[in-house]
Amino acid sequence: MNAPVPSDPIGELLMGMRMRGASYGKLHLPPPLGAAFPASTEARFHFVAGGMGLLRSPSGDLMPLSCGDAVLLPRGDEHALVSRADAEVRPIETFLTVPLCPGMCSFEPGCGKTSPEKGVLIFSAAMQFELDTLHPLIELMPSVLHVGSIPGKEPEVRPLLDAMEREMSTNRAGTAGILARLAEVVAASVVRNWVECGCGDASGWVAALRDERLGRVLAALHRDPGREWTLAEMAAAMGSSRSVFAERFAAATGTTPLRYVGALRMRLAAQWLSRDRMSIDQVARQLGYQSQAAFSRAYKRVTGQPPGQARKAR
């Protein structure tokens, strides 16, 4: 008889991580110049393909970036990329955009900003995380995740970064698509490394997910949110009594199991309505509601507004 496969709730959820490329660009910063990126609902990924630069946080802290380094800003916090500490910083929106190939453009300084120095060459991506399974995890992440220390723990990341550097130095067909896929894999590796290193000071939801028995239940809820879950079914998945399960679940997540399921469903509903333009009836059926009216009542009770408002507020 084969031995049972060990449960890996975190790995299961990370396997569901996807990113949508909102925009990809090649950014050249000749000294002394910098580009300011405003706060965004999209994650930001930057890869340094040539030269050395700095990432400046809203507080003014500077993070050195060398050729081959990459950073992920999972919540899209305000920041700037600069060629040196005393660089003139301009909003990225003021740079000229020149199409390079489908899905990718070049950000040009314009205004006569030239320099005999090579400056910094950066691949920059604005990404939309598919948050269906990872939303709580992203909220707990630090504002900046640096890839610099990861290759030592995950050797497979270094060839990916090298491949990105090679793609940036050519204009071959399909460059934008290849860079996008490489960036997605590297970003997923960044998230996984953060999780496996203990998620910093994060607790609560992450602690519940790292608990093998409780994490098994959370993974099942995220895998099948439209199922008509009962407390007894969730307790059985954990292998405990209902009272023990409910107590441990509430202690770890700060809410009851059934409220968690309701909140998960409404978060997914908001995404599907506004992002994917699904009809209210489609969302209701996909989340297991018997009628559109029942779903609409539940949505308004949890979010404070009718589902039609989410579709309008795309």
Side-chain angles (χ1 to χ4, degrees), residues 65-180:
L65 298 175
S66 301
C67 182
D69 280 354
V71 290
L72 174 69
L73 291 90
R75 294 190 299 277
D77 292 338
E78 176 187 357
H79 64 286
L81 296 173
V82 297
S83 53
R84 63 192 197 198
D86 62 347
E88 171 198 349
V89 179
R90 291 172 42 199
I92 189 65
E93 296 87 351
T94 65
F95 284 60
L96 300 176
T97 55
V98 180
L100 295 177
C101 58
M104 188 171 181
C105 68
S106 174
F107 293 100
E108 304 291 346
C111 302
K113 292 294 181 183
T114 59
S115 171
E117 298 180 57
K118 291 184 178 180
V120 194
L121 181 62
I122 299 167
F123 167 74
S124 182
M127 300 171 165
Q128 292 179 333
F129 276 105
E130 295 284 4
L131 304 179
D132 298 357
T133 58
L134 287 175
H135 187 275
L137 195 63
I138 292 169
E139 290 180 340
L140 296 169
M141 290 181 191
S143 60
V144 180
L145 289 167
H146 188 206
V147 187
S149 61
I150 291 180
K153 300 169 185 173
E154 300 194 34
E156 65 276 7
V157 171
R158 175 46 57 190
L160 298 176
L161 296 175
D162 292 341
M164 291 184 71
E165 189 173 348
R166 287 193 299 271
E167 286 294 330
M168 283 287 288
S169 64
T170 66
N171 288 314
R172 298 175 63 187
T175 290
I178 291 174
L179 282 169

Side-chain angles (χ1 to χ4, degrees), residues 3-292:
V5 178
S7 174
D8 181 14
I10 293 178
E12 182 175 335
L13 292 187
L14 286 176
M15 284 296 292
M17 187 173 84
R18 296 291 184 273
M19 295 181 187
R20 293 185 175 193
S23 62
Y24 300 98
K26 181 184 286 189
L27 173 64
H28 179 233
L29 295 175
L33 190 64
F37 293 80
S40 171
T41 57
E42 299 165 331
R44 284 282 185 180
F45 176 88
H46 301 299
F47 170 73
V48 181
M52 299 178 65
L54 301 158
L55 183 142
R56 179 181 293 163
S57 69
S59 64
D61 294 334
L62 295 173
M63 175 186 290
L65 298 175
S66 301
C67 182
D69 280 354
V71 290
L72 174 69
L73 291 90
R75 294 190 299 277
D77 292 338
E78 176 187 357
H79 64 286
L81 296 173
V82 297
S83 53
R84 63 192 197 198
D86 62 347
E88 171 198 349
V89 179
R90 291 172 42 199
I92 189 65
E93 296 87 351
T94 65
F95 284 60
L96 300 176
T97 55
V98 180
L100 295 177
C101 58
M104 188 171 181
C105 68
S106 174
F107 293 100
E108 304 291 346
C111 302
K113 292 294 181 183
T114 59
S115 171
E117 298 180 57
K118 291 184 178 180
V120 194
L121 181 62
I122 299 167
F123 167 74
S124 182
M127 300 171 165
Q128 292 179 333
F129 276 105
E130 295 284 4
L131 304 179
D132 298 357
T133 58
L134 287 175
H135 187 275
L137 195 63
I138 292 169
E139 290 180 340
L140 296 169
M141 290 181 191
S143 60
V144 180
L145 289 167
H146 188 206
V147 187
S149 61
I150 291 180
K153 300 169 185 173
E154 300 194 34
E156 65 276 7
V157 171
R158 175 46 57 190
L160 298 176
L161 296 175
D162 292 341
M164 291 184 71
E165 189 173 348
R166 287 193 299 271
E167 286 294 330
M168 283 287 288
S169 64
T170 66
N171 288 314
R172 298 175 63 187
T175 290
I178 291 174
L179 282 169
R181 299 292 79 77
L182 290 171
E184 181 176 326
V185 175
V186 172
S189 298
V190 173
V191 175
R192 181 176 66 179
N193 183 73
W194 178 74
V195 169
E196 290 181 343
C197 288
C199 303
D201 297 327
S203 57
W205 189 83
V206 169
L209 200 60
R210 295 180 71 87
D211 180 318
E212 182 176 337
R213 296 173 67 201
L214 200 53
R216 189 163 58 235
V217 180
L218 281 169
L221 298 180
H222 283 258
R223 185 171 56 245
D224 191 8
R227 178 175 170 179
E228 192 174 347
W229 289 98
T230 65
L231 190 63
E233 289 173 327
M234 288 185 269
M238 178 174 152
S240 71
S241 67
R242 286 179 292 178
S243 59
V244 170
F245 164 70
E247 183 178 349
R248 285 185 60 179
F249 191 98
T253 66
T255 188
T256 67
L258 293 179
R259 284 181 179 172
Y260 183 91
V261 173
L264 171 63
R265 287 174 175 170
M266 294 309 108
R267 187 169 63 241
L268 293 174
Q271 292 174 19
W272 295 343
L273 290 167
S274 63
R275 183 192 68 193
D276 300 330
R277 310 304 292 157
M278 290 174 61
S279 70
I280 296 174
D281 185 59
Q282 283 178 302
V283 174
R285 284 188 281 107
Q286 195 154 323
L287 289 176
Y289 288 89
Q290 298 301 312
S291 69
Q292 182 176 318

